[in-house]
Amino acid sequence: VEVFCLETNGFQGSDGIDFALQIIQSQKKMIDFCFDRNPVDSDEDRQRLVDAIAGHPNISDCDLVGLCGGEINGHDYLVHILRKEKLQTLDFSNNSVMTAGQSTLFDIIKLHPNLVCLRLDHNHLNDEDAIHLAGALRYNRTLETLWLRGNRFTRMGVDILKKVMYDDSSLNAVADSNHVCIIE
C-alpha cells in the first residue's frame, strides 16, 4: 500500500490511532498518509501518530486536517512533523495552530529542503506570524504553494506576505523576492 486515507471515520477513543499505527508500521512503502477530519482527544494518541509519521521511512505526503479538533493548539505537532526532511506535502488545516511568538515553525519552513506544498488554512496565525513567515519565505526556495486561508491576518499581515512574494520597491528588492512560492 503506497497511499492510505482515513477520512471522517468517527473513531472512538484510541481505536482510530491504533488502527492507523498498525497500517503505518506495516506498510514501509507507503508514501501518502491521510488522517483527515478524525479529531483525536488524547495528547498521547496525537503524539503517537505524529511520531509514527515522522519516523516512517517513506511518507512524503501527509494530510492531518482537524487532527487536534476544537481549540487544542496544534503548533508542536506541526513542528514535529515538519522536522521530517523527506516531507514534501503537508495539509495541517483546522488544527488551531498558534505560535505565541515562537519562531521554531518559521525556522523549519525557512530551511526545509524538500517541502513543496504546505496547507495551514483555518488555523490561528496572525500578523506577527506573517512577519516571521515572510522572513522564512525569503530564504526557502522549495516551497511552491502555501495555503493560509481563514487565519487571523489583518490587511497588514496580508500586505507583508504579498511583499515577500514580489517587492518592487527597488531592483535589489525585486531580485530578493520569492518568485517560487504562491500563497493561496
Side-chain angles (χ1 to χ4, degrees), residues 32-48:
D32 190 342
F33 177 76
C34 169
F35 196 82
D36 279 0
R37 294 170 191 84
N38 287 307
V40 178
D41 296 328
S42 159
D43 288 334
E44 181 183 336
D45 283 345
R46 279 189 297 275
Q47 192 62 55
R48 288 172 47 214

Side-chain angles (χ1 to χ4, degrees), residues 119-142:
R119 290 192 75 130
L120 296 175
D121 294 329
H122 305 287
N123 280 293
H124 299 306
L125 301 176
N126 59 33
D127 290 344
E128 184 180 342
D129 299 322
I131 293 167
H132 293 295
L133 190 52
L137 293 175
R138 281 187 185 87
Y139 293 94
N140 182 298
R141 294 296 187 245
T142 62

Side-chain angles (χ1 to χ4, degrees), residues 50-62:
V50 168
D51 287 345
I53 294 165
H56 191 279
N58 291 308
I59 293 176
S60 60
D61 299 331
C62 188

Side-chain angles (χ1 to χ4, degrees), residues 34-171:
C34 169
F35 196 82
D36 279 0
R37 294 170 191 84
N38 287 307
V40 178
D41 296 328
S42 159
D43 288 334
E44 181 183 336
D45 283 345
R46 279 189 297 275
Q47 192 62 55
R48 288 172 47 214
L49 180 62
V50 168
D51 287 345
I53 294 165
H56 191 279
N58 291 308
I59 293 176
S60 60
D61 299 331
C62 188
D63 293 358
L64 296 171
V65 175
L67 174 71
C68 297
E71 289 298 314
I72 296 164
N73 186 355
H75 174 268
D76 293 345
Y77 303 111
L78 173 60
V79 165
H80 187 54
I81 291 172
L82 283 174
R83 286 195 171 116
K84 182 179 178 73
E85 288 192 1
K86 278 192 169 187
L87 194 67
Q88 295 177 348
T89 302
L90 175 62
D91 189 344
F92 207 75
S93 299
N94 296 308
N95 279 299
S96 302
V97 173
M98 293 179 279
T99 65
Q102 297 179 43
S103 65
T104 309
L105 171 62
F106 309 110
D107 292 341
I108 292 171
I109 292 171
K110 175 181 177 178
L111 300 173
H112 201 289
N114 296 304
L115 192 63
V116 175
C117 179
L118 179 59
R119 290 192 75 130
L120 296 175
D121 294 329
H122 305 287
N123 280 293
H124 299 306
L125 301 176
N126 59 33
D127 290 344
E128 184 180 342
D129 299 322
I131 293 167
H132 293 295
L133 190 52
L137 293 175
R138 281 187 185 87
Y139 293 94
N140 182 298
R141 294 296 187 245
T142 62
L143 192 61
E144 295 174 4
T145 310
L146 175 62
W147 296 77
L148 295 169
R149 294 181 183 161
N151 279 285
R152 297 178 174 173
F153 301 122
T154 66
R155 185 75 172 149
M156 182 183 89
V158 171
D159 288 346
I160 288 167
L161 291 168
K162 282 182 181 178
K163 194 167 189 166
V164 77
M165 295 296 100
Y166 184 74
D167 182 355
D168 64 356
S169 62
S170 71
L171 289 175

